[in-house]
Amino acid sequence: MVIISPSLLAADFGCLYDEVAKVENAGAQWLHLDVMDGHFVPNLTFGPDIIRQIRRKSKLFFDAHLMIEQPEKLLPMFFNCGIDQITIHFEATQNVQQALSVIKNHNLKCGLSIKPQTPTEVLKPYLNMIDNVLIMTVEPGFGGQKFMTDQLVKIRQATEMIGDLPITLEVDGGININTGKECVKCGANVLVAGSAVFKSENPVTTVKELIKLGELK
Ligand code: DX5
Ligand code: ZN
């Protein structure tokens, strides 16, 4: 099975409830929430207040991707806004283990993400405490970028590293039907898709086609 996590970043911010309902009705299982701080990445998005509001109208699994420098400082803000899983960046903190433990202690699922230049091996020490690995397939910061094919090898390495552990393998950046297919072949089982879904002429069909990629497995 493949989980589709449409990225809200590419939605029309003027009608967020409708945009979320659209992908929820199409069968997406997760909603990807890109939180950016203008430091770790050169862009700003939204924070806990907006997430809390969307939570009131959606039953999707809320998959937050924190692109925040020193996430440990801001984590408490994200504990009561309805997020189900928080994924932080390996490169964003000196205290990866501590930040992950804080998330776990609040009974949320936790994940670890790596940027394109970061080797897969850095994930190894944390595999016993995480629920999700997120491999960036573009430089984090903006939607609508081109998929980096050289990241496929890292997806394969992560698949091997995860083995039978109960950890999802998520890919994020430039995912569409074609690149998504390549990622699934390499072992990815969560596909984040922003532009491919929300900028599509028919988002419902696109979500359905992405879900079908799970049949490749
Ligand atoms: C980029 C974000 C992505 C982004 C993906 O830093 O982490 O989640 O929204 O957008 P697309 O699918 O358009 O590349
Ligand atoms: Zn993301």
Side-chain angles (χ1 to χ4, degrees):
M1 195 184 109
V2 159
I3 292 170
I4 308 306
S5 192
S7 168
L8 198 65
L9 192 59
D12 179 345
F13 280 24
C15 48
L16 282 180
Y17 291 148
D18 295 343
E19 292 280 80
V20 174
K22 207 185 303 177
V23 294
E24 193 158 359
N25 293 334
Q29 306 94 324
W30 290 13
L31 183 68
H32 189 78
L33 300 156
D34 287 304
V35 180
M36 304 187 188
D37 68 348
H39 294 278
F40 182 69
V41 288
N43 195 6
L44 285 164
T45 54
F46 47 79
D49 290 340
I50 299 229
I51 297 173
R52 191 175 294 109
Q53 295 213 18
I54 312 164
R55 175 82 287 173
R56 298 203 330 250
K57 304 257 182 144
S58 171
K59 293 199 163 38
L60 290 170
F61 179 91
F62 275 18
D63 165 36
H65 176 195
L66 298 196
M67 284 157 276
I68 295 182
E69 198 75 56
Q70 294 188 281
E72 58 274 22
K73 290 195 176 161
L74 288 182
L75 273 175
M77 296 178 77
F78 292 92
F79 289 144
N80 58 5
C81 60
I83 291 172
D84 296 289
Q85 170 169 280
I86 297 183
T87 294
I88 58 165
H89 264 270
F90 171 81
E91 306 85 355
T93 173
Q94 305 278 27
N95 296 305
V96 173
Q97 181 149 356
Q98 196 202 339
L100 292 171
S101 312
V102 172
I103 300 170
K104 281 260 118 175
N105 291 341
H106 281 80
N107 291 323
L108 298 185
K109 294 202 182 247
C110 70
L112 194 56
S113 179
I114 50 173
K115 299 207 287 183
Q117 301 309 322
T118 305
T120 324
E121 295 91 75
V122 305
L123 299 167
K124 239 183 214 158
Y126 307 102
L127 292 179
N128 61 351
M129 60 185 307
I130 58 178
D131 304 285
N132 185 49
V133 160
L134 170 49
I135 307 278
M136 287 306 300
T137 46
V138 299
E139 282 300 335
F142 299 91
Q145 302 181 73
K146 191 170 178 292
F147 179 82
M148 296 168 71
T149 315
D150 58 358
Q151 298 303 302
L152 288 171
V153 57
K154 282 169 61 184
I155 301 169
R156 255 182 254 122
Q157 288 165 351
T159 303
E160 207 162 292
M161 207 182 264
I162 290 170
D164 291 331
L165 292 169
I167 300 175
T168 46
L169 178 53
E170 181 173 32
V171 290
D172 182 8
I175 303 295
N176 54 35
I177 305 291
N178 296 325
T179 57
K181 189 188 281 177
E182 294 308 309
C183 292
V184 171
K185 281 193 202 154
C186 293
N189 49 28
V190 182
L191 304 178
V192 175
S195 317
V197 168
F198 287 106
K199 310 275 192 235
S200 139
E201 287 200 351
N202 193 336
V204 174
T205 314
T206 308
V207 169
K208 291 195 165 133
E209 280 171 10
L210 286 166
I211 291 174
K212 270 201 171 166
L213 293 179
E215 292 168 13
L216 286 174
K217 297 201 117 188

